[in-house]
mmCIF file with all atom_site columns, all heavy atoms in Angstrom:
data_model
loop_
_atom_site.group_PDB
_atom_site.id
_atom_site.type_symbol
_atom_site.label_atom_id
_atom_site.label_alt_id
_atom_site.label_comp_id
_atom_site.label_asym_id
_atom_site.label_entity_id
_atom_site.label_seq_id
_atom_site.pdbx_PDB_ins_code
_atom_site.Cartn_x
_atom_site.Cartn_y
_atom_site.Cartn_z
_atom_site.occupancy
_atom_site.B_iso_or_equiv
_atom_site.pdbx_formal_charge
_atom_site.auth_seq_id
_atom_site.auth_comp_id
_atom_site.auth_asym_id
_atom_site.auth_atom_id
_atom_site.pdbx_PDB_model_num
ATOM 1  N N   . PHE A 1 215 ? -8.969  -14.319 -3.127  1.00 89.00 ? 215 PHE A N   1
ATOM 2  C CA  . PHE A 1 215 ? -7.715  -14.740 -3.756  1.00 89.00 ? 215 PHE A CA  1
ATOM 3  C C   . PHE A 1 215 ? -6.670  -13.631 -3.595  1.00 89.00 ? 215 PHE A C   1
ATOM 4  O O   . PHE A 1 215 ? -7.015  -12.465 -3.405  1.00 89.00 ? 215 PHE A O   1
ATOM 5  C CB  . PHE A 1 215 ? -7.923  -15.056 -5.234  1.00 89.00 ? 215 PHE A CB  1
ATOM 6  C CG  . PHE A 1 215 ? -8.712  -16.308 -5.492  1.00 89.00 ? 215 PHE A CG  1
ATOM 7  C CD1 . PHE A 1 215 ? -10.096 -16.267 -5.568  1.00 89.00 ? 215 PHE A CD1 1
ATOM 8  C CD2 . PHE A 1 215 ? -8.075  -17.526 -5.639  1.00 89.00 ? 215 PHE A CD2 1
ATOM 9  C CE1 . PHE A 1 215 ? -10.835 -17.413 -5.791  1.00 89.00 ? 215 PHE A CE1 1
ATOM 10 C CE2 . PHE A 1 215 ? -8.803  -18.688 -5.867  1.00 89.00 ? 215 PHE A CE2 1
ATOM 11 C CZ  . PHE A 1 215 ? -10.191 -18.633 -5.940  1.00 89.00 ? 215 PHE A CZ  1
ATOM 12 N N   . SER A 1 216 ? -5.415  -14.011 -3.713  1.00 83.00 ? 216 SER A N   1
ATOM 13 C CA  . SER A 1 216 ? -4.333  -13.045 -3.511  1.00 83.00 ? 216 SER A CA  1
ATOM 14 C C   . SER A 1 216 ? -3.714  -12.561 -4.811  1.00 83.00 ? 216 SER A C   1
ATOM 15 O O   . SER A 1 216 ? -2.867  -11.676 -4.795  1.00 83.00 ? 216 SER A O   1
ATOM 16 C CB  . SER A 1 216 ? -3.233  -13.657 -2.637  1.00 83.00 ? 216 SER A CB  1
ATOM 17 O OG  . SER A 1 216 ? -2.707  -14.829 -3.246  1.00 83.00 ? 216 SER A OG  1
ATOM 18 N N   . SER A 1 217 ? -4.111  -13.137 -5.947  1.00 86.00 ? 217 SER A N   1
ATOM 19 C CA  . SER A 1 217 ? -3.504  -12.714 -7.211  1.00 86.00 ? 217 SER A CA  1
ATOM 20 C C   . SER A 1 217 ? -4.556  -12.434 -8.268  1.00 86.00 ? 217 SER A C   1
ATOM 21 O O   . SER A 1 217 ? -5.640  -13.048 -8.285  1.00 86.00 ? 217 SER A O   1
ATOM 22 C CB  . SER A 1 217 ? -2.529  -13.780 -7.733  1.00 86.00 ? 217 SER A CB  1
ATOM 23 O OG  . SER A 1 217 ? -3.227  -14.855 -8.327  1.00 86.00 ? 217 SER A OG  1
ATOM 24 N N   . LEU A 1 218 ? -4.225  -11.511 -9.157  1.00 86.00 ? 218 LEU A N   1
ATOM 25 C CA  . LEU A 1 218 ? -5.130  -11.140 -10.242 1.00 86.00 ? 218 LEU A CA  1
ATOM 26 C C   . LEU A 1 218 ? -5.329  -12.297 -11.210 1.00 86.00 ? 218 LEU A C   1
ATOM 27 O O   . LEU A 1 218 ? -6.446  -12.545 -11.678 1.00 86.00 ? 218 LEU A O   1
ATOM 28 C CB  . LEU A 1 218 ? -4.559  -9.922  -10.972 1.00 86.00 ? 218 LEU A CB  1
ATOM 29 C CG  . LEU A 1 218 ? -5.359  -9.381  -12.156 1.00 86.00 ? 218 LEU A CG  1
ATOM 30 C CD1 . LEU A 1 218 ? -6.741  -8.928  -11.708 1.00 86.00 ? 218 LEU A CD1 1
ATOM 31 C CD2 . LEU A 1 218 ? -4.600  -8.225  -12.810 1.00 86.00 ? 218 LEU A CD2 1
ATOM 32 N N   . ASP A 1 219 ? -4.262  -13.029 -11.511 1.00 88.00 ? 219 ASP A N   1
ATOM 33 C CA  . ASP A 1 219 ? -4.359  -14.156 -12.439 1.00 88.00 ? 219 ASP A CA  1
ATOM 34 C C   . ASP A 1 219 ? -5.340  -15.207 -11.927 1.00 88.00 ? 219 ASP A C   1
ATOM 35 O O   . ASP A 1 219 ? -6.115  -15.775 -12.710 1.00 88.00 ? 219 ASP A O   1
ATOM 36 C CB  . ASP A 1 219 ? -2.979  -14.796 -12.648 1.00 88.00 ? 219 ASP A CB  1
ATOM 37 C CG  . ASP A 1 219 ? -2.068  -13.934 -13.505 1.00 88.00 ? 219 ASP A CG  1
ATOM 38 O OD1 . ASP A 1 219 ? -2.578  -13.036 -14.202 1.00 88.00 ? 219 ASP A OD1 1
ATOM 39 O OD2 . ASP A 1 219 ? -0.836  -14.142 -13.460 1.00 88.00 ? 219 ASP A OD2 1
ATOM 40 N N   . ALA A 1 220 ? -5.308  -15.464 -10.614 1.00 89.00 ? 220 ALA A N   1
ATOM 41 C CA  . ALA A 1 220 ? -6.208  -16.463 -10.037 1.00 89.00 ? 220 ALA A CA  1
ATOM 42 C C   . ALA A 1 220 ? -7.661  -16.026 -10.161 1.00 89.00 ? 220 ALA A C   1
ATOM 43 O O   . ALA A 1 220 ? -8.552  -16.842 -10.449 1.00 89.00 ? 220 ALA A O   1
ATOM 44 C CB  . ALA A 1 220 ? -5.845  -16.701 -8.573  1.00 89.00 ? 220 ALA A CB  1
ATOM 45 N N   . ILE A 1 221 ? -7.914  -14.742 -9.947  1.00 90.00 ? 221 ILE A N   1
ATOM 46 C CA  . ILE A 1 221 ? -9.282  -14.220 -10.053 1.00 90.00 ? 221 ILE A CA  1
ATOM 47 C C   . ILE A 1 221 ? -9.790  -14.352 -11.480 1.00 90.00 ? 221 ILE A C   1
ATOM 48 O O   . ILE A 1 221 ? -10.911 -14.825 -11.725 1.00 90.00 ? 221 ILE A O   1
ATOM 49 C CB  . ILE A 1 221 ? -9.328  -12.754 -9.587  1.00 90.00 ? 221 ILE A CB  1
ATOM 50 C CG1 . ILE A 1 221 ? -9.128  -12.674 -8.065  1.00 90.00 ? 221 ILE A CG1 1
ATOM 51 C CG2 . ILE A 1 221 ? -10.658 -12.105 -9.974  1.00 90.00 ? 221 ILE A CG2 1
ATOM 52 C CD1 . ILE A 1 221 ? -9.062  -11.267 -7.519  1.00 90.00 ? 221 ILE A CD1 1
#
Side-chain angles (χ1 to χ4, degrees):
F215 289 88
S216 59
S217 78
L218 180 61
D219 287 342
I221 289 176

